[in-house]
Amino acid sequence: MTTTTAFEVLPAVSSFLDKPRHKLLIGGQWAEAASGRTFETVDPSDGRVLGKVAEGDAEDVDRAVAAARRAFQGPWSRLSPSERAKLIYKLADLLEKRSEEFAQLETLDNGKSIRESTRGDLPLAVDLLRYFSGWATKIHGETLPVSVPYYPGAKFLHYTVREPVGVVGAIIPWNFPLLMAVERLAPALACGNTVVLKPAEQTPLTALRLGELVLEAGIPEGVVNVVPGYGPTAGAALARHMDVDKLTFTGSTEVGREVVKASAGNLKRVSLELGGKSPNIVFADADLDAAAKGMFMGIFYNQGQCCSAGARIFVEKSKFEPLVAALAEKAKTVRQGPGLDPKTQMGPLISKEQLERVLGYVEAGKREGARLLCGGERAPEPGLKNGYFIKPAVFSEVSPDMKIAQEEIFGPVATVIPFESEEDLIAKANGTIYGLVAGVWTKDIKRAFRMAQALKAGTVWINCYHFVDAAAPWGGVKQSGYGREKGPYALEQYTQLKSVWVDLN
Ligand code: ADP
């Protein structure tokens, strides 16, 4: 072990961070940005610069898309599904072997606790690659019995083929940088596509390190290209690119609307995983200990920076006071610090900008008359003053129409809302523009299923929260987006269907 931060990191992490500059991965080569520009990525726990990164822009996106096109038409499409599967599996093995290194790098760049990186992000990323490598050999069409009523007695063989879409552009956010990258790469590659990945400007490091593993795994040059850069430049260039066949975007609903507009030029297919303001609902008959834990983890996991955060906590009136008090008590005891400190339970927010945004929402909540039970201010500890730390906040007496109960805060701010009856609740729970996930805590099995039916969300968790898996589809309804990542349904996003007729007459 060597030391490059206040905490020990693996030699592989130090030597990666020691690079004078992290370059773009285009066509299997590490390249400077055409403009020669770089940007800095920082450790959000203390604002220290972690590295300089080549700043991709439209010209670099052009080069990356051209490389992806060449790889798609060349080596990648010549490989059999089983050969593709082996390469993806190999990438999973390499990632698994270097899990500790990737967890440290992710924690440094994003701020999340090392426990979350190690126990959550890394095993899931490895599993996603393995799951989709298995699918590579199982993507198939069907034979369909056609009748052709205007040609009585005619005989045809009709079959469908699932073909790769081509070049996939993937724009991902900073909250789960590696996981999001892999969640896009794994199905795209399994289906036979090539990819241009644009990581978020706040967290480019694990995607770039993953690019090194892609080459080490023997995945042909140009199959995976990584072009870090800013959203309005590199991101927008990818979204509007005329030779990108499919765009997968994860980020804010606002930017989601922009990329849909930008995609219109060549009518590329788009899938969107956008914001949320998800209800996490506790009925009085629930296992209250489990529900209390679920309320806490639902909103505070990853510093609340989850699109699926259980940000609107609804509690049945008879249990409202004790549960909200318990949530605030627990929030007050959360140990904050740099993610690499094994004692840290909650790291910093991603950036100064995000910190100010979240503080602004706390002020809005107070102005609107919600009662702030705890937190909501910058962490006062002297050791944390250079980082973007905010004390986890709990607002009680929130009414569903308040700004803090309607807009996605993307930070550790819980809004707790009482309800009296199921009918009253359902209207409130569904009463936002979003529909990503919902949680329900109850021991009444009929009620659980009634709620699963009534809640407008892409995922409903009953007596659990924040569970995800490579096999379970993920995506939203309403303004939380469209399309599904993960599970067999992801294959639909990354393939297109061809219909073939053979005249047998
Ligand atoms: P957040 O608010 O969580 O940062 P964004 O939606 O702004 O979410 O960012 C998610 C991803 O979208 C990032 O990779 C970002 O660089 C990219 N992005 C931001 N603006 C645009 C844009 N106008 N066009 C394409 N991509 C963008």
Side-chain angles (χ1 to χ4, degrees):
M1 294 246 182
T2 59
T3 308
T4 57
T5 71
F7 298 90
E8 281 197 303
V9 295
L10 293 167
V13 174
S14 328
S15 64
F16 185 76
L17 293 176
D18 281 346
K19 290 187 187 194
R21 195 157 55 260
H22 301 281
K23 298 182 184 172
L24 316 171
L25 177 58
I26 297 180
Q29 308 300 316
W30 294 97
E32 301 287 358
S35 67
R37 281 200 305 269
T38 58
F39 66 97
E40 290 175 341
T41 184
V42 302
D43 176 344
S45 72
D46 56 12
R48 199 172 42 95
V49 175
L50 283 173
K52 278 194 176 155
V53 182
E55 184 192 325
D57 202 337
E59 203 179 325
D60 307 295
V61 167
D62 271 348
R63 285 192 289 153
V65 172
R69 177 64 60 195
R70 279 195 302 277
F72 177 67
Q73 286 165 349
W76 197 231
S77 63
R78 284 197 290 273
L79 289 185
S80 68
S82 144
E83 288 167 317
R84 278 205 314 272
K86 265 192 239 160
L87 290 173
I88 302 168
Y89 206 92
K90 176 102 185 280
L91 181 59
D93 285 346
L94 290 175
L95 185 60
E96 187 172 52
K97 219 167 91 194
R98 291 173 174 78
S99 283
E100 200 186 340
E101 175 194 335
F102 269 85
Q104 289 185 352
L105 200 55
E106 193 75 315
T107 284
L108 278 168
D109 209 11
N110 165 280
K112 64 177 71 195
S113 73
I114 191 70
R115 184 186 156 87
E116 288 182 13
S117 301
T118 308
R119 296 189 41 170
D121 301 45
L122 260 298
L124 257 172
V126 171
D127 201 49
L128 274 159
L129 287 163
R130 296 221 167 106
Y131 175 84
F132 281 106
S133 81
W135 269 117
T137 48
K138 294 158 201 77
I139 297 164
H140 58 79
E142 290 174 300
T143 51
L144 299 169
V146 289
S147 304
V148 196
Y150 54 82
Y151 195 174
K155 296 224 178 320
F156 292 91
L157 167 66
H158 179 276
Y159 64 92
T160 59
V161 189
R162 280 215 166 264
E163 296 183 335
V165 181
V167 175
V168 172
I171 300 176
I172 57 168
W174 43 259
N175 56 344
F176 295 93
L178 174 74
L179 199 51
M180 293 283 174
V182 167
E183 200 176 293
R184 304 301 178 272
L185 285 184
L189 300 186
C191 293
N193 304 283
T194 58
V195 180
V196 177
L197 173 70
K198 197 209 77 68
E201 54 273 32
Q202 296 85 348
T203 53
L205 295 183
T206 46
L208 290 165
R209 180 73 184 103
L210 184 68
E212 295 180 352
L213 294 200
V214 163
L215 299 181
E216 192 182 332
I219 293 174
E221 295 182 348
V223 171
V224 175
N225 304 274
V226 186
V227 184
Y230 290 100
T233 52
L238 196 56
R240 67 168 181 266
H241 203 286
M242 294 299 280
D243 202 32
V244 169
D245 301 297
K246 188 225 151 54
L247 187 75
T248 166
F249 173 82
T250 302
S252 59
T253 293
E254 206 182 355
V255 176
R257 261 189 275 280
E258 289 300 311
V259 303
V260 169
K261 283 185 216 150
S263 72
N266 70 337
L267 294 173
K268 61 178 65 67
R269 294 141 139 256
V270 180
S271 50
L272 302 168
E273 206 252 275
L274 306 175
K277 188 75 183 176
S278 300
N280 193 6
I281 301 159
V282 183
F283 285 94
D285 68 5
D287 171 343
L288 295 181
D289 287 341
K293 288 189 189 120
M295 287 162 64
F296 181 85
M297 196 264 299
I299 177 60
F300 294 129
Y301 190 77
N302 208 35
Q303 294 83 256
Q305 300 171 137
C306 296
C307 48
S308 53
R312 288 182 302 143
I313 303 172
F314 290 92
V315 182
E316 195 164 357
K317 215 156 191 178
S318 63
K319 299 290 181 209
F320 185 82
E321 286 305 331
L323 277 174
V324 81
L327 180 68
E329 278 319 301
K330 196 158 179 214
K332 284 182 203 162
T333 65
V334 168
R335 203 170 10 222
Q336 290 181 287
L340 279 189
D341 183 342
K343 295 194 293 295
T344 290
Q345 293 171 317
M346 186 184 273
L349 299 186
I350 189 68
S351 62
K352 184 157 177 284
E353 187 191 11
Q354 186 64 8
L355 176 67
E356 279 162 8
R357 211 175 144 253
V358 176
L359 290 171
Y361 274 109
V362 172
E363 286 313 307
K366 289 192 219 163
R367 265 199 315 275
E368 283 183 300
R371 191 153 69 95
L372 182 61
L373 297 184
C374 66
E377 74 279 356
R378 287 193 75 162
E381 294 88 330
L384 305 184
K385 70 174 193 320
N386 292 329
Y388 313 127
F389 292 90
I390 180 171
K391 290 281 159 198
V394 176
F395 274 109
S396 175
E397 288 159 40
V398 176
S399 83
D401 53 348
M402 286 179 182
K403 186 178 165 82
I404 53 165
Q406 284 293 320
E407 296 182 17
E408 184 176 44
I409 299 175
F410 226 66
V413 180
T415 59
V416 197
I417 306 168
F419 70 91
E420 306 221 20
S421 69
E422 221 174 286
E423 298 67 49
D424 153 54
L425 166 77
I426 289 167
K428 285 181 181 166
N430 286 334
T432 72
I433 59 167
Y434 299 111
L436 190 59
V437 302
V440 180
W441 301 82
T442 177
K443 283 187 186 151
D444 178 338
I445 191 161
K446 291 187 186 175
R447 168 183 278 154
F449 284 119
R450 276 199 304 275
M451 295 303 294
Q453 203 168 48
L455 290 167
K456 303 219 179 312
T459 293
V460 178
W461 286 303
I462 312 267
N463 295 325
C464 57
Y465 204 91
H466 273 330
F467 280 86
V468 291
D469 187 77
W474 183 259
V477 301
K478 301 199 296 188
Q479 292 182 41
S480 290
Y482 44 75
R484 292 291 176 269
E485 299 287 351
K486 300 206 269 271
Y489 305 93
L491 306 175
E492 287 167 25
Q493 306 293 329
Y494 295 99
T495 56
Q496 54 201 357
L497 205 60
K498 181 178 275 174
S499 180
V500 182
W501 291 75
V502 185
D503 185 346
L504 303 179
N505 300 294

